[in-house]
Amino acid sequence: MTDDKASITFRLATEADLPTVMTIVAEARQFLHDREIPQWQGPYPTEATFLADIKQRALWVAVRAQKVVLMMTLLHGPDPNYSDIDGEWVQPTSEYLVMHRIAVTRTVAGQGVAQAAFAFALQQAQVLKLVSLRFDTHELNTGMRHLASKKDFTFCGTVLMADGTPRVAYEKLV
């Protein structure tokens, strides 16, 4: 799928994309570290994480000018991390799409690529006839929180990841 305004094409990732995906992860890890955001500061996410996403046909990449500039994982709910929320989901259903592990290469940061990815994810939820799109992020990740607000996502509360770390959760009906 192409977003004509930004000349961005979205496609499922392949194993050949893994080196670029891991470079984007390394850049994102450093970016978060520089801002003292403890998200992605351990080994997670690993290449094995993304390989599993590829095998599930869940890892998507955005391509602009023939270069992969963004990666994100889109999974059909229910997400076990979202079953217990300190707050309330907009729609208490398992018929949602989850956006995980989204990052953009630093060379295109601030150029609307992440916004295009949110629009694409919402469109994918519609295509799959799902009720909403959900995602979570670290409470200090002001960039993702700003994007959630800009794209009219509702702050729903706090969820805990499998390792017990809290994340702020958002949802938008499609």
Side-chain angles (χ1 to χ4, degrees), residues 4 11 70 88:
D4 293 327
R11 63 169 172 78
L70 173 141
E88 187 174 12

Side-chain angles (χ1 to χ4, degrees), residues 45-104:
T46 65
E47 189 170 303
T49 304
F50 294 110
L51 187 57
D53 288 346
I54 289 169
K55 289 182 179 186
Q56 290 182 56
R57 298 182 51 84
L59 184 62
W60 290 83
V61 292
V63 179
R64 188 167 98 181
Q66 300 177 340
K67 293 185 180 176
V68 172
V69 295
L70 173 141
M71 56 87 187
M72 69 177 162
T73 300
L74 298 176
L75 294 165
H76 190 293
D79 183 316
N81 294 320
Y82 292 179
S83 63
D84 188 24
I85 184 168
D86 183 6
E88 187 174 12
W89 292 110
V90 176
Q91 283 289 327
T93 176
S94 62
E95 294 302 310
Y96 56 85
L97 190 66
V98 180
M99 181 171 49
H100 282 306
R101 298 181 282 283
I102 180 170
V104 63

Side-chain angles (χ1 to χ4, degrees), residues 9-153:
T9 302
F10 293 89
R11 63 169 172 78
L12 285 168
T14 67
E15 288 187 39
D17 294 312
L18 280 174
T20 303
V21 165
M22 295 314 296
T23 298
I24 292 171
V25 169
E27 291 175 1
R29 192 171 271 136
Q30 186 63 50
F31 178 82
L32 293 167
H33 177 268
D34 292 349
R35 280 145 191 82
E36 299 181 358
I37 301 169
Q39 191 172 2
W40 286 15
Q41 295 307 298
Y44 174 86
T46 65
E47 189 170 303
T49 304
F50 294 110
L51 187 57
D53 288 346
I54 289 169
K55 289 182 179 186
Q56 290 182 56
R57 298 182 51 84
L59 184 62
W60 290 83
V61 292
V63 179
R64 188 167 98 181
Q66 300 177 340
K67 293 185 180 176
V68 172
V69 295
L70 173 141
M71 56 87 187
M72 69 177 162
T73 300
L74 298 176
L75 294 165
H76 190 293
D79 183 316
N81 294 320
Y82 292 179
S83 63
D84 188 24
I85 184 168
D86 183 6
E88 187 174 12
W89 292 110
V90 176
Q91 283 289 327
T93 176
S94 62
E95 294 302 310
Y96 56 85
L97 190 66
V98 180
M99 181 171 49
H100 282 306
R101 298 181 282 283
I102 180 170
V104 63
T105 186
R106 302 315 308 152
T107 59
V108 301
Q111 297 179 21
V113 177
Q115 289 184 54
F118 269 70
F120 176 77
L122 284 164
Q123 183 180 40
Q124 286 299 108
Q126 287 177 324
V127 167
L128 295 169
K129 298 185 182 340
L130 299 174
V131 175
S132 65
L133 175 65
R134 294 179 181 179
F135 78 95
D136 63 83
T137 192
H138 193 281
E139 73 174 323
L140 297 177
N141 192 336
T142 56
M144 281 296 286
R145 295 187 78 179
H146 173 74
L147 193 52
S149 175
K150 190 174 189 173
K151 296 307 250 177
D152 297 320
F153 277 75

